Amino acid sequence: MRTYLECIPCFVRQGLDALREVCTDEAEIDRILKQVLSVIAGVDRQQTPPEMSRAIHGLIRHELGNVDPYHEIKQCSTRQALEVMPEVRRRIERSDKPFDTAVRFALAGNILDFALASLYQSDQLDTTLARAETQPLDEAMVTQLQHAVDQAQTILWLADNAGETVFDRLLIEQLTDKRFIYAVKAAPIINDATLSDAQAAGVHEVADIIDNGTDAPGTVLKLCSPGFRDIFQNADLVIAKGQANFETLNEVDREIYFLTQIKCVVMARHYGYRIGDWVVTTTTAIASRMQSNQPEVAHDPG
Amino acid sequence: MRTYLECIPCFVRQGLDALREVCTDEAEIDRILKQVLSVIAGVDRQQTPPEMSRAIHGLIRHELGNVDPYHEIKQCSTRQALEVMPEVRRRIERSDKPFDTAVRFALAGNILDFALASLYQSDQLDTTLARAETQPLDEAMVTQLQHAVDQAQTILWLADNAGETVFDRLLIEQLTDKRFIYAVKAAPIINDATLSDAQAAGVHEVADIIDNGTDAPGTVLKLCSPGFRDIFQNADLVIAKGQANFETLNEVDREIYFLTQIKCVVMARHYGYRIGDWVVTTTTAIASRMQSNQPEVAHDPG
């Protein structure tokens, strides 16, 4: 998905959010935010939104002397998720349909998204977990995912955010006869999970953790390491979490399962979803949805 | 009120909204939006937000060949308001406290704000009018305003948006023994009322309409005409509608009554309000509120 004009105000807000996290000097924030505006003004909008985010947050980290603005937020998310983990695991294990329930909690965990930091509410995780088992979901797609998992030996899991990793782990641990490769970012970008975030969630107990060789949000294949791309091409099944993976991979030429909440109006309009929808879909399903629906892509003045 | 960093993403969104209203050429919008980003990057944040808006929307109008992006929106707002006017007038006249009720509808009309165009919902006016008589309001301040009106001969009314003008008129027409001077903008800026918008609302039947000599939102005194400034200084009472007037006048050295809905998080935080509050206040009351509360001005990471 390319960058839409409606993404621009959001990039500015995201940049400001990141600066606010670690900087209290208003003049310094002002100085760096002006550079962010210049970067955005110069951008090629054929890039995906995550590529754009990478440029913006790379600049911010550089200007802040390589401080990671999301370091504490990520640790806090993981702590919050680990606290509820035993209870969530019980709910999965007691469920009549443990796979379905585990998918639902993996989707619930996607609420831990601090790319939208200034819009995040501290009780959001609790309220999201509370409705995980009743949230409308395309059950046929969940069943299709379960069959795909059944038939796969090696499953590549593309992680999204720190903390969400805990809920990913709870799904993965249900599937003990599969080999899971859990791919994280090679370096900090927004609140995306890196190796240490995945380890803090205990993912290493249930999967092999690798990094994808880049600090771009989502999975920008051309920026990933050759080793990662090889695993990506050859895995029996690829499961990708979160919007940024959807945005960067939905037109890629291999079947991928996407698990994400819909958080942004541009993506909702573009793919015919509503904000807040929980989505299980595939590259194939998205392509056929786009072909049959032809939704109005950009601006809907109503 | 100076411009806060949190205003910046909002300016970008406002600029995009304005461009979307009249331009369908994505490349052209992209080109102008990049200029908007450059203008914002170069700004002196000691300016008030309305001064910043003026620079942005001036650029946009210039680049679009002086087309007014809000022309149709303003006409539509006025039509919408005129349709409900007879019913609102009946509600005021049947009220036990017609002044209080008229103030409430004047505040309700402040919802017609297309500076927030992309956030505006078409049924917002109806739902706002429905709760006008029950919306929490500082009744002591309304009583104080009524006393101030009673004692005044000449009242200067600083208008805000087109359409809202219709509700202003319904308050003004209750006060037949006063001389009202109704000040509008000298040229189009966002959806602020100009002479023709005030006339379309019938304000000329109940007040003398003047323009303030400028196309800045709110009332930026240093940009206003000497004639307007003279009237502003000498009026027995000044009533100012809307956030932009609050933002540009609240530190001015004369008593002013402000009637506005609180629509932006920066202003809410700065003055200790909540988004959606309906406010009747004065320069004196704001100063004492700021002195006693000392609310956290800028960013609240919670």
Side-chain angles (χ1 to χ4, degrees):
Chain A
M1 184 179 116
R2 70 173 175 84
T3 297
Y4 286 89
L5 289 164
E6 277 62 30
C7 302
I8 307 288
C10 200
F11 287 134
V12 178
R13 187 190 46 71
Q14 251 183 51
L16 178 57
D17 279 352
L19 287 162
R20 286 279 187 216
E21 283 304 327
V22 279
C23 189
T24 53
D25 179 343
E26 290 282 309
E28 181 69 354
I29 297 176
D30 196 10
R31 182 185 70 78
I32 302 175
L33 191 62
K34 283 175 175 171
Q35 292 188 37
V36 168
L37 292 169
S38 299
V39 166
I40 298 172
V43 86
D44 166 17
R45 286 200 301 108
Q46 291 310 310
Q47 291 185 88
T48 60
E51 287 171 276
M52 187 102 171
S53 282
R54 177 173 178 251
I56 293 165
H57 291 276
L59 165 75
I60 289 172
R61 279 198 312 278
H62 175 77
E63 291 296 323
L64 292 172
N66 288 318
V67 170
D68 172 11
Y70 292 88
H71 181 70
E72 280 190 37
I73 277 184
K74 292 203 295 180
Q75 291 195 319
C76 168
S77 293
T78 301
R79 268 200 309 275
Q80 233 190 318
L82 285 172
E83 272 170 28
V84 296
M85 185 177 74
E87 168 60 18
V88 172
R89 184 185 280 130
R90 264 194 300 277
R91 284 166 70 182
I92 293 169
E93 287 170 351
R94 285 177 193 166
S95 165
D96 293 340
K97 298 190 285 183
F99 181 82
D100 180 279
T101 305
V103 166
R104 287 173 168 279
F105 281 110
L107 277 162
N110 188 236
I111 198 70
L112 288 167
D113 192 350
F114 289 92
L116 302 163
S118 61
L119 308 175
Y120 189 82
Q121 319 262 319
S122 59
D123 61 350
Q124 219 157 291
L125 180 61
D126 290 340
T127 56
T128 305
L129 293 175
R131 64 188 166 83
E133 286 165 89
T134 52
Q135 172 77 19
L137 199 58
D138 184 341
E139 292 294 345
M141 281 305 303
V142 178
T143 305
Q144 185 182 319
L145 172 61
Q146 188 163 15
H147 290 156
V149 167
D150 286 346
Q151 283 160 28
Q153 290 305 312
T154 302
I155 300 170
L156 174 63
W157 186 288
L158 306 179
D160 189 16
N161 303 317
E164 183 175 345
T165 45
V166 171
F167 301 95
D168 294 346
R169 173 217 168 140
L170 289 174
L171 173 53
I172 295 170
E173 72 182 21
Q174 300 296 314
L175 305 160
T176 48
D177 58 333
K178 306 295 172 189
R179 182 186 173 216
F180 273 91
I181 302 167
Y182 193 84
V184 296
K185 304 305 183 290
I189 176 72
I190 325 178
N191 65 322
D192 284 36
T194 58
L195 178 61
S196 60
D197 302 311
Q199 286 173 332
V203 174
H204 57 288
E205 295 167 16
V206 296
D208 298 323
I209 304 174
I210 62 167
D211 74 59
N212 69 4
T214 164
D215 64 352
T219 303
V220 183
L221 284 172
K222 66 182 179 218
L223 299 177
C224 292
S225 65
F228 171 81
R229 284 204 296 266
D230 196 49
I231 293 168
F232 177 83
Q233 285 306 339
N234 294 314
D236 299 328
L237 175 61
V238 176
I239 298 175
K241 290 287 303 282
Q243 265 197 186
N245 276 322
F246 187 119
E247 289 169 16
T248 47
L249 288 174
N250 78 297
E251 288 162 15
V252 162
D253 186 25
R254 80 149 283 166
E255 189 69 331
I256 302 166
Y257 279 79
F258 298 100
L259 272 65
T260 189
Q261 294 192 25
I262 303 296
K263 296 166 190 171
C264 109
V265 70
V266 175
M267 194 168 154
R269 281 179 188 152
H270 190 64
Y271 295 101
Y273 295 117
R274 283 168 308 181
I275 297 277
D277 277 358
W278 291 19
V279 171
V280 178
T281 190
T282 65
T283 37
T284 307
I286 297 163
S288 99
R289 182 185 182 94
M290 292 300 283
Q291 212 159 26
S292 61
N293 283 355
Q294 299 277 357
E296 183 56 41
V297 166
H299 181 64
D300 171 11
Chain B
M1 183 179 119
R2 70 173 174 83
T3 297
Y4 286 89
L5 290 164
E6 277 62 29
C7 303
I8 306 288
C10 200
F11 287 134
V12 179
R13 187 190 47 70
Q14 250 184 52
L16 179 56
D17 279 352
L19 288 163
R20 285 280 188 215
E21 283 303 326
V22 279
C23 188
T24 53
D25 178 343
E26 289 284 308
E28 181 68 355
I29 297 176
D30 197 11
R31 181 184 71 77
I32 302 174
L33 190 62
K34 283 175 175 169
Q35 291 189 38
V36 168
L37 292 169
S38 299
V39 165
I40 298 173
V43 87
D44 166 16
R45 286 202 301 108
Q46 291 311 310
Q47 291 184 90
T48 60
E51 286 171 278
M52 188 101 170
S53 281
R54 176 174 179 251
I56 293 166
H57 291 276
L59 165 75
I60 290 172
R61 277 198 313 278
H62 176 76
E63 291 296 323
L64 292 172
N66 287 318
V67 169
D68 172 11
Y70 292 89
H71 181 70
E72 280 189 35
I73 278 184
K74 292 202 296 178
Q75 290 195 320
C76 168
S77 293
T78 301
R79 267 199 309 275
Q80 234 190 317
L82 286 173
E83 273 169 28
V84 297
M85 185 178 75
E87 168 62 17
V88 172
R89 185 184 279 131
R90 264 193 300 275
R91 284 167 70 182
I92 293 170
E93 287 171 353
R94 286 178 193 165
S95 165
D96 292 341
K97 298 190 287 182
F99 181 82
D100 180 280
T101 304
V103 165
R104 287 174 167 277
F105 281 108
L107 277 162
N110 189 235
I111 199 70
L112 288 168
D113 192 350
F114 289 91
L116 302 163
S118 61
L119 308 174
Y120 189 82
Q121 319 262 318
S122 58
D123 61 349
Q124 218 157 293
L125 179 61
D126 290 340
T127 56
T128 305
L129 292 176
R131 64 189 167 81
E133 286 165 87
T134 53
Q135 171 77 18
L137 198 59
D138 184 341
E139 293 294 343
M141 281 306 303
V142 178
T143 305
Q144 185 182 318
L145 171 60
Q146 188 162 15
H147 290 156
V149 167
D150 286 346
Q151 282 161 28
Q153 290 305 313
T154 301
I155 301 171
L156 174 64
W157 186 288
L158 306 178
D160 189 15
N161 303 316
E164 183 175 346
T165 44
V166 171
F167 301 95
D168 295 347
R169 172 214 169 143
L170 290 174
L171 173 53
I172 294 171
E173 72 183 21
Q174 300 296 314
L175 305 159
T176 46
D177 58 332
K178 306 294 171 188
R179 181 187 173 212
F180 273 91
I181 302 167
Y182 193 84
V184 295
K185 305 304 183 290
I189 176 72
I190 327 176
N191 65 321
D192 284 36
T194 58
L195 177 61
S196 60
D197 302 310
Q199 285 173 330
V203 174
H204 57 289
E205 295 166 16
V206 295
D208 298 322
I209 305 174
I210 61 167
D211 74 60
N212 67 5
T214 164
D215 64 351
T219 303
V220 183
L221 284 173
K222 67 182 177 215
L223 299 178
C224 292
S225 63
F228 171 82
R229 284 202 298 265
D230 196 49
I231 293 168
F232 177 84
Q233 285 306 338
N234 293 316
D236 298 329
L237 174 62
V238 176
I239 299 176
K241 289 288 303 285
Q243 265 196 187
N245 276 322
F246 186 120
E247 290 169 14
T248 48
L249 288 175
N250 78 297
E251 288 163 14
V252 162
D253 187 26
R254 80 150 283 166
E255 190 70 330
I256 302 166
Y257 279 79
F258 297 101
L259 272 64
T260 189
Q261 294 193 24
I262 303 296
K263 297 166 189 171
C264 112
V265 70
V266 174
M267 193 168 155
R269 281 179 188 150
H270 190 64
Y271 295 100
Y273 295 117
R274 282 168 310 181
I275 297 276
D277 277 358
W278 292 18
V279 171
V280 176
T281 190
T282 65
T283 37
T284 307
I286 299 163
S288 100
R289 183 185 181 95
M290 293 300 283
Q291 211 159 28
S292 61
N293 284 355
Q294 298 278 354
E296 182 57 41
V297 166
H299 181 65
D300 171 11

